[in-house]
Amino acid sequence: MLEQTEELLDCCEVLMPELQQALEYDASSGHLMMGDGALVAANMNLKFGGLTNQVLRDTEITEGCTGPDPATMFYHPFKKTWSLHSTSTDDIEVNCRVKDGDVQSMSFGSEPTSTGNCVHPPPPPFYLLDAPPFDVMMNAEKLAMHNAARVMLKEKEVDACVEKRGYLGKPKGIKQVLWERGLWKEGMIGLVKKDNAKYEEKGPMCASSALPRFCVRERCAAEAHRRAWAYHG
């Protein structure tokens, strides 16, 4: 839909450049579809990764999208460990806080970065500082026990199984995104629907609704119009 609309607008611009296009759409549910990588909080996990590992597009931080809290980590270059508080004079302070005008990535980087003269891996999730960079697979003994349990549940055995999920290249999740924006509060929970009986009680601590002006990508039809206006307007 998005590509078709863009092609139509391009054709109109070539054939009738003197005219301003005005398109009308019916109420088809297809017009409500989102483009690839659309920023929709409901499509994000609370924590990093997930079954689908859907990576959302990066977003530019605008006024009103951040809070007052810091987002700082400390990297020990010799121990190669991360912490939220400095414990040594050798610690390198890494500021993960985004501010107005910054582009915030929705996934953890996969390439080394640098702070001052120190080259280090991308900071891990702030709530799981010992997360491995890459997936850690079960050894043969643990895999055998895992498959024995699957057989008891009448499930098919597997050749390999992840014991600990790595974070590099994975979607950050709402928790990390809020922390980097200075908006994360201890006790926050995932999505709380408005029809939940305890919505009034739990709603204020809903992490997904704490993303102010998340810059949700427009529906496909509106996105095509926006692109055309930016290019031709």
Side-chain angles (χ1 to χ4, degrees):
M1 170 86 187
L2 176 57
E3 294 179 356
Q4 291 173 341
T5 304
E6 286 182 327
E7 289 176 359
L8 172 62
L9 292 172
D10 288 341
C11 290
C12 290
E13 182 66 24
V14 172
L15 298 175
M16 299 171 287
E18 72 282 1
L19 300 181
Q20 175 66 52
Q21 299 92 16
L23 305 183
E24 293 184 359
Y25 296 89
D26 59 19
S28 169
S29 59
H31 300 156
L32 300 178
M33 294 179 63
M34 294 288 188
D36 294 337
L39 295 177
V40 182
N43 291 343
M44 299 174 67
N45 293 327
L46 183 63
K47 297 183 179 181
F48 79 94
L51 295 177
T52 61
N53 279 332
Q54 181 182 8
V55 178
L56 306 184
R57 67 178 179 86
D58 298 344
T59 182
E60 182 176 349
I61 302 299
T62 57
E63 184 179 357
C65 288
T66 59
D69 297 333
T72 304
M73 289 188 189
F74 295 89
Y75 179 71
H76 197 291
F78 305 116
K79 297 180 181 179
K80 301 187 184 303
T81 56
W82 291 92
S83 63
L84 294 180
H85 305 283
S86 180
T87 58
S88 168
T89 56
D90 295 322
D91 285 345
I92 305 297
E93 181 176 343
V94 180
N95 185 14
C96 303
R97 183 74 154 73
V98 292
K99 58 184 183 301
D100 292 356
D102 288 347
V103 174
Q104 184 181 28
S105 175
M106 293 292 109
S107 60
F108 289 101
S110 57
E111 299 294 332
T113 185
S114 60
T115 301
N117 295 324
C118 177
V119 178
H120 54 76
F126 78 96
Y127 52 87
L128 193 63
L129 297 172
D130 61 347
F134 305 101
D135 291 349
V136 177
M137 309 304 292
M138 288 184 179
N139 59 31
E141 182 180 354
K142 289 184 177 180
L143 182 61
M145 295 175 62
H146 177 75
N147 277 326
R150 293 181 65 90
V151 170
M152 292 179 63
L153 296 172
K154 296 182 179 181
E155 296 179 357
K156 187 178 180 180
E157 294 186 23
V158 294
D159 296 327
C161 187
V162 176
E163 182 175 2
K164 293 187 71 175
R165 295 285 179 186
Y167 70 93
L168 291 186
K170 301 289 180 62
K172 287 180 177 177
I174 295 175
K175 192 170 183 176
Q176 182 73 19
V177 170
L178 286 177
W179 180 76
E180 293 178 1
R181 295 185 180 203
L183 292 168
W184 175 257
K185 304 294 182 185
E186 287 302 321
M188 278 185 166
I189 55 179
L191 178 65
V192 180
K193 296 184 178 180
K194 290 187 177 181
D195 58 359
N196 189 307
K198 295 185 177 181
Y199 177 77
E200 291 188 5
E201 174 189 345
K202 296 183 177 181
M205 295 303 291
C206 175
S208 59
S209 62
L211 285 166
R213 296 165 59 188
F214 192 48
C215 308
V216 175
R217 189 172 186 172
E218 295 90 343
R219 311 294 181 179
C220 281
E223 172 75 359
H225 275 103
R226 183 188 65 78
R227 291 185 188 177
W229 182 265
Y231 181 75
H232 300 295

